[in-house]
Amino acid sequence: MTDRPTDSPGAPAPILYAHRHLLGIEGLSVPEITSLLDLADSYVEQNRQADKKRSLLRGRTVINLFFENSTRTRTSFELAGKRLGADVINMSVTTSSIKKGETLIDTAMTLNAMHPDVLVVRHPDSGAVNLLSQKVDGAVINAGDGSHEHPTQALLDALTIRRRRGRLAGLLVAICGDLLHSRVARSNIHLLTTMGARVRVIAPPTLMPGAIERMGVEAFTDMRQGLQGCDIVMMLRLQTERMQGSFVPSIREYFRFYGLDYDKLGAAKPDALIMHPGPMNRGAEIDSEVADDIDRSVIREQVEMGVAVRMACLDALTRQSTSNSPLGAS
Ligand code: ASP
């Protein structure tokens, strides 16, 4: 068996992603997204085998640099790197007592001196990962920057949907909850609209970004109206850590109007899939029974797809540097 999954024996699966970094979904083309999803799909089977390890990235160094908490994203990037044979280092940095700008660049320069091939970065400030990518020599993957983008989350969501429904184009997807602070929503809107899905966003007026329709979505403030006829219901966590002041009257009130329960779900298609990027606040944005519904909820599958998608991203970005191909803008 070769180290890289192949469509035909001996030939690496073609990859059309020609950028040096992965900083966001905005601006990616249909072939680029499709190519990353196809590559990720080929890693799903590998991850279900007893022997999950390959040597594709042997000798390469991946550094996970997290300035914000994470469970799923950090762990899955670590597993993805290790399953491809890379050396993976985890660095968690708390920003509470330090000047953020200085520390970010200083840290980037320090790590750069150790010649990492890939830096996976999460930061509470929108744009911070982009800034850092301009200071280092290796590839940078945005693992979530403030309320801006979380590209690998959108890719894993898309892979989950595509495997379940066989396509993205033409599906009606509702993204519900704290749209205002959500990088997951932003990346998903870019990806899904690019791939030809129709996207509705549902949020209370206080959590709905102004002029969101410019992103090519339809906006609703009523859950049942917004969910009408949807194929996919994607719930978002209330991002209390990004809220200054009060955006909802109480969790109880929020759940009553915007929490996903069977009653509201009844407005969506009978086989609509339920998604959540995690971590879930049961009883706030989603009812426990709905979250655990084995026929409708694909929340655990999203976690599984996360590892495959991150393997594909590491593979694609390190292929760029191996072939010395011209580097893309982002
Ligand atoms: N894990 C996702 C993120 O980092 C979603 C969330 O935290 O609500 O954005």
Side-chain angles (χ1 to χ4, degrees):
M1 185 184 282
T2 58
D3 280 331
R4 184 174 275 133
T6 58
D7 288 338
S8 53
I15 160 103
L16 302 173
Y17 187 84
H19 302 273
R20 177 171 157 201
H21 306 297
L22 176 60
L23 301 176
I25 298 292
E26 187 177 10
L28 296 189
S29 64
V30 173
E32 285 173 327
I33 293 169
T34 305
S35 171
L36 287 174
L37 294 179
D38 290 347
L39 186 59
D41 222 348
S42 67
Y43 279 119
V44 174
E45 275 317 304
Q46 177 180 317
N47 286 335
R48 290 180 178 170
Q49 309 299 313
D51 177 7
K52 302 170 182 59
K53 189 122 175 171
R54 298 290 179 274
S55 58
L56 183 67
L57 298 192
R58 201 175 66 197
R60 303 296 191 117
T61 305
V62 176
I63 300 185
N64 283 329
L65 178 59
F66 278 63
F67 293 87
E68 219 184 45
N69 290 341
S70 168
T71 309
R72 274 153 290 267
T73 307
R74 197 198 55 72
T75 317
S76 59
F77 266 114
E78 182 177 357
L79 268 180
K82 287 182 171 166
R83 285 185 183 168
L84 293 175
D87 293 318
V88 184
I89 310 292
N90 293 312
M91 283 189 62
S92 298
V93 188
T94 43
T95 47
S96 52
S97 61
I98 44 182
K99 282 189 189 166
K100 287 180 190 164
E102 247 180 39
T103 303
L104 179 67
I105 302 307
D106 282 352
T107 311
M109 297 320 290
T110 305
L111 294 177
N112 196 45
M114 299 179 199
H115 304 295
D117 297 280
V118 185
L119 271 171
V120 178
V121 187
R122 170 169 288 190
H123 198 281
D125 296 339
S126 303
V129 181
N130 193 325
L131 180 68
L132 186 143
S133 73
Q134 296 164 24
K135 309 281 174 193
V136 298
D137 301 315
V140 173
I141 299 180
N142 182 1
D145 63 324
S147 48
H148 176 225
E149 280 237 34
H150 191 353
T152 55
Q153 178 71 47
L155 287 165
L156 76 87
D157 290 340
L159 183 62
T160 308
I161 298 171
R162 205 180 71 162
R163 286 173 63 93
R164 283 290 186 131
R165 290 289 178 260
R167 66 196 164 99
L168 295 167
L171 294 178
L172 184 55
V173 182
I175 306 180
C176 323
D178 184 357
L179 268 294
L180 188 63
H181 302 103
S182 177
R183 54 199 178 202
V184 172
R186 213 168 286 276
S187 290
N188 262 299
I189 292 171
H190 286 308
L191 190 149
L192 291 165
T193 53
T194 303
M195 299 304 283
R198 281 172 56 204
V199 180
R200 290 182 181 168
V201 293
I202 311 171
T206 49
L207 292 173
M208 184 74 85
I212 192 157
E213 288 90 348
R214 285 197 204 143
M215 293 185 81
V217 301
E218 276 182 281
F220 292 80
T221 50
D222 182 273
M223 266 296 252
R224 284 180 191 80
Q225 272 177 21
L227 289 180
Q228 204 66 46
C230 283
D231 297 285
I232 310 289
V233 182
M234 195 180 277
M235 300 307 298
L236 301 171
R237 182 176 66 88
L238 276 172
Q239 309 264 308
T240 46
E241 73 276 26
R242 293 186 220 293
M243 294 181 190
Q244 275 156 11
S246 172
F247 285 77
V248 295
S250 69
I251 295 298
R252 207 181 138 107
E253 276 293 288
Y254 182 79
F255 182 76
R256 186 162 156 236
F257 290 101
Y258 294 97
L260 188 67
D261 53 16
Y262 280 117
D263 183 42
K264 297 184 196 81
L265 184 61
K269 283 200 179 145
D271 63 347
L273 298 177
I274 299 156
M275 306 181 75
H276 193 299
M280 271 186 285
N281 291 313
R282 292 168 184 264
E285 67 262 355
I286 191 162
D287 177 64
S288 245
E289 267 188 76
V290 174
D292 297 332
D293 185 328
I294 50 167
D295 297 319
R296 312 281 297 273
S297 168
V298 291
I299 296 170
R300 299 247 156 71
E301 215 167 296
Q302 287 173 267
V303 178
E304 181 188 3
M305 295 308 127
V307 180
V309 154
R310 283 152 187 148
M311 289 167 86
C313 293
L314 292 174
D315 180 353
L317 291 181
T318 50
R319 254 190 244 196
Q320 295 297 322
S321 56
T322 312
S323 61
N324 283 327
S325 57
L327 303 177
S330 53

